[in-house]
Amino acid sequence: MVSRHGSVRVAHVLSSLHLGGQERVALDLASYQKSAGWEVTALSLAPLPEGLLAKDFRAAGVAVETFEKRAGVDVALAVRVGLWMRGRFDLVHTHNPAALLYGAPAAALARIACVHTKHGANPRGGRRLMANRLAGRLVDAFVAVSPETAEVARKRNEVAESKLRVIANGIDLERFRPDPAARDATRAALGIDRSAWVVGTVGRLAVEKNQSLLLRAIAPLLEPDGHILLIGDGPLAESLSALAIELRVERRVHLLGARPDVPALLNALDVFALSSLTEGLPLVIPEAMATGLPVVSTAVGGIATVVEEGRTGFLVPTGDEALLRAKLAALQRDRELGRACGARGRSAAIARYTADRMRRDYQELYERILLQRAVGK
């Protein structure tokens, strides 16, 4: 797949370059595309300073640009980005609603192809939904990361059925695998005993991730040797710290902030837990499974298609604190059950959620779109 300029020129548009699932998917795709000889740029719409992943994009040889979105609806932003894109790119790949809202019109103005990926349910309605429906008309393809996420897009009339595709997220199995040495070293660095029972979660500390439910559910299980790692940053960091104090478990709750060493931190765990109110197909679930961890999660978005009840982990209804606690307690009592679930989960992740499969699916989609546009000219 080569443009008239000698290689494919792609821009990934993101709301920010902070550490998160959609950003890591974009980083993986951009890194792979750069290694294949493409000209690749990551474009952030967030104000400076740049997010934590900016240096990782640059380390992969990907150019990084920032076009700061002003407060509110910034109509001029799409025009500024579109004029800048014209003649520089063959295809724009937007990730989640804000990037779609500004990236798709910019691509249309620049007269280049546009692929959008919907990484989550994105439940906001009203004017924002109407604006994104209009932007959805401008894309060549609209990718959902799970069948459930695609069904949300369908019900909300976000895009024409003919443009809707499903491509599940994939992971780099070289980075996410069981590593006993990393387990010991990470626990030692955190001041956690090798024999302790450790549960962890990864995600933005925000309402939709609902980490307060997880804290309330696990608090009675943390004595005498339990710990929980909350990996990620966000607006609820202070309230979660206060909740840990209220529950009298602050010594056993580790708020680690955004971390670049997620593979090592996953290795420090015995159980991975997710208590989200809404999700698409969170990349961290197959990452945890590939690390050999049992998963306990709320059954939202596409998670039920990844976690097999009783075999690779357990699913609970959204907001069910008692059942979440019960499933965690079962794994605490029976460590062998956790190891067996983790082993089956790793096999499933290897079979279904590799980065190579995801990269190949997107490349084939790009090729079809660029070919259709070339034939149509």
Side-chain angles (χ1 to χ4, degrees), residues 96-128:
N96 262 10
L100 170 66
L101 183 60
Y102 297 101
L109 179 62
R111 298 181 180 178
I112 53 182
C114 184
V115 171
H116 174 65
T117 296
K118 180 180 176 68
H119 292 269
N122 313 124
R124 290 182 63 176
R127 292 181 180 178
R128 177 61 64 87

Coordinates of all heavy atoms in Angstrom, one line a residue, residues 96-128:
N96 N -11.9 8.1 19.4 CA -13.0 8.6 20.4 C -13.6 9.9 20.0 O -13.1 10.6 19.0 CB -12.4 8.5 21.8 CG -12.9 7.2 22.5 OD1 -13.5 6.3 21.8 ND2 -12.7 7.1 23.8
P97 N -14.6 10.4 20.7 CA -15.5 11.4 20.2 C -14.9 12.8 19.9 O -15.2 13.4 18.8 CB -16.5 11.6 21.3 CG -16.6 10.3 22.0 CD -15.2 9.8 22.0
A98 N -14.0 13.3 20.8 CA -13.5 14.7 20.5 C -12.6 14.7 19.3 O -12.7 15.6 18.4 CB -12.7 15.1 21.7
A99 N -11.8 13.6 19.1 CA -11.0 13.5 17.9 C -11.9 13.4 16.6 O -11.5 13.9 15.6 CB -10.0 12.3 18.0
L100 N -13.0 12.6 16.7 CA -13.9 12.5 15.6 C -14.5 13.9 15.3 O -14.6 14.3 14.1 CB -15.0 11.5 15.9 CG -16.2 11.4 15.0 CD1 -15.7 10.9 13.6 CD2 -17.3 10.5 15.5
L101 N -14.9 14.6 16.3 CA -15.7 15.8 16.1 C -14.8 16.8 15.3 O -15.4 17.6 14.5 CB -16.1 16.4 17.5 CG -16.9 17.7 17.5 CD1 -18.2 17.5 16.7 CD2 -17.1 18.1 18.9
Y102 N -13.5 16.9 15.5 CA -12.6 17.8 14.9 C -11.8 17.2 13.8 O -11.5 17.8 12.7 CB -11.7 18.5 15.9 CG -12.5 19.3 16.9 CD1 -12.7 18.8 18.2 CD2 -13.1 20.5 16.6 CE1 -13.5 19.5 19.1 CE2 -13.8 21.3 17.5 CZ -14.0 20.7 18.8 OH -14.8 21.4 19.7
G103 N -11.4 15.9 13.9 CA -10.6 15.3 12.9 C -11.3 14.9 11.6 O -10.7 15.1 10.6
A104 N -12.5 14.5 11.7 CA -13.3 14.1 10.5 C -13.5 15.3 9.6 O -13.3 15.2 8.4 CB -14.5 13.3 10.9
P105 N -14.1 16.4 10.1 CA -14.2 17.6 9.3 C -12.9 18.1 8.7 O -12.8 18.6 7.6 CB -14.8 18.6 10.2 CG -15.5 17.8 11.3 CD -14.6 16.6 11.5
A106 N -11.8 18.0 9.5 CA -10.5 18.4 9.1 C -10.1 17.6 7.9 O -9.5 18.1 6.9 CB -9.5 18.3 10.2
A107 N -10.3 16.2 8.0 CA -9.9 15.3 6.9 C -10.7 15.7 5.6 O -10.2 15.6 4.5 CB -10.1 13.9 7.3
A108 N -12.0 15.9 5.8 CA -12.9 16.3 4.7 C -12.4 17.6 4.0 O -12.3 17.7 2.8 CB -14.3 16.4 5.2
L109 N -12.0 18.6 4.8 CA -11.5 19.8 4.3 C -10.2 19.6 3.5 O -10.0 20.2 2.5 CB -11.3 20.8 5.4 CG -10.7 22.2 5.0 CD1 -11.7 22.9 4.1 CD2 -10.4 23.0 6.3
A110 N -9.4 18.7 4.1 CA -8.1 18.4 3.4 C -8.2 17.4 2.3 O -7.3 17.1 1.6 CB -7.1 17.8 4.4
R111 N -9.5 16.8 2.1 CA -9.8 15.9 1.0 C -9.0 14.6 1.1 O -8.4 14.1 0.1 CB -9.6 16.6 -0.4 CG -10.5 17.7 -0.6 CD -10.3 18.4 -1.9 NE -11.2 19.5 -2.1 CZ -11.3 20.3 -3.2 NH1 -10.5 20.0 -4.2 NH2 -12.1 21.3 -3.3
I112 N -8.9 14.1 2.3 CA -8.2 12.8 2.6 C -9.1 11.8 3.3 O -10.1 12.2 3.9 CB -6.9 13.0 3.3 CG1 -7.1 13.8 4.6 CG2 -5.9 13.7 2.5 CD1 -5.9 14.1 5.4
A113 N -8.7 10.6 3.3 CA -9.5 9.5 3.9 C -9.5 9.6 5.4 O -8.6 10.2 6.0 CB -9.0 8.1 3.5
C114 N -10.6 9.1 6.0 CA -10.7 9.2 7.5 C -11.3 7.9 8.0 O -12.3 7.4 7.6 CB -11.6 10.3 7.9 SG -11.7 10.5 9.7
V115 N -10.6 7.3 9.0 CA -11.1 6.1 9.7 C -11.2 6.5 11.2 O -10.4 7.3 11.7 CB -10.0 4.9 9.7 CG1 -10.4 3.8 10.6 CG2 -9.9 4.4 8.3
H116 N -12.4 6.2 11.8 CA -12.6 6.5 13.2 C -12.7 5.2 14.0 O -13.3 4.2 13.5 CB -13.9 7.3 13.4 CG -14.2 7.5 14.8 ND1 -13.5 8.3 15.6 CD2 -15.2 7.0 15.6 CE1 -14.0 8.3 16.8 NE2 -15.1 7.5 16.9
T117 N -12.1 5.2 15.2 CA -12.3 4.1 16.1 C -13.0 4.5 17.4 O -12.6 5.5 18.0 CB -10.9 3.5 16.5 OG1 -10.3 2.9 15.4 CG2 -11.1 2.3 17.6
K118 N -14.1 3.8 17.7 CA -14.9 4.0 18.9 C -14.4 3.1 19.9 O -14.6 1.9 19.8 CB -16.4 3.8 18.6 CG -17.3 4.0 19.8 CD -18.8 3.8 19.3 CE -19.8 3.8 20.5 NZ -19.9 5.2 21.0
H119 N -13.7 3.6 21.0 CA -13.1 2.7 22.0 C -14.0 2.4 23.2 O -13.7 1.5 24.0 CB -11.8 3.4 22.5 CG -10.7 3.5 21.4 ND1 -9.8 2.5 21.3 CD2 -10.5 4.4 20.5 CE1 -9.0 2.8 20.3 NE2 -9.4 4.0 19.8
G120 N -15.1 3.1 23.3 CA -16.0 2.9 24.5 C -17.4 3.3 24.1 O -17.7 3.7 23.0
A121 N -18.3 3.2 25.1 CA -19.7 3.5 24.9 C -19.9 5.0 24.7 O -20.8 5.4 23.9 CB -20.5 3.0 26.1
N122 N -19.1 5.9 25.3 CA -19.2 7.3 25.2 C -20.7 7.7 25.3 O -21.3 8.2 24.3 CB -18.7 7.8 23.8 CG -17.3 7.2 23.5 OD1 -17.2 6.5 22.5 ND2 -16.3 7.3 24.4
P123 N -21.3 7.7 26.5 CA -22.7 7.8 26.7 C -23.3 9.2 26.5 O -24.5 9.3 26.6 CB -22.9 7.2 28.1 CG -21.7 7.5 28.8 CD -20.6 7.3 27.8
R124 N -22.5 10.2 26.4 CA -23.0 11.6 26.3 C -24.0 11.7 25.1 O -23.7 11.3 24.0 CB -21.9 12.6 26.2 CG -21.1 12.7 27.5 CD -20.0 13.8 27.4 NE -20.6 15.1 27.2 CZ -19.9 16.2 27.1 NH1 -18.6 16.2 27.2 NH2 -20.5 17.4 26.9
G125 N -25.1 12.4 25.4 CA -26.1 12.7 24.4 C -26.2 14.1 24.0 O -25.2 14.9 24.1
G126 N -27.4 14.5 23.7 CA -27.7 15.9 23.4 C -26.9 16.5 22.2 O -26.8 15.8 21.2
R127 N -26.5 17.7 22.3 CA -25.8 18.4 21.2 C -24.5 17.7 20.8 O -24.1 17.6 19.6 CB -25.5 19.8 21.5 CG -26.8 20.7 21.7 CD -26.4 22.1 22.0 NE -27.6 22.9 22.1 CZ -27.6 24.2 22.5 NH1 -26.5 24.8 22.7 NH2 -28.7 24.9 22.5
R128 N -23.8 17.1 21.8 CA -22.5 16.4 21.5 C -22.8 15.2 20.6 O -22.1 15.0 19.6 CB -21.8 16.0 22.8 CG -20.5 15.2 22.6 CD -19.5 16.0 21.8 NE -19.1 17.1 22.5 CZ -18.1 17.1 23.4 NH1 -17.4 16.0 23.7 NH2 -17.7 18.2 24.0

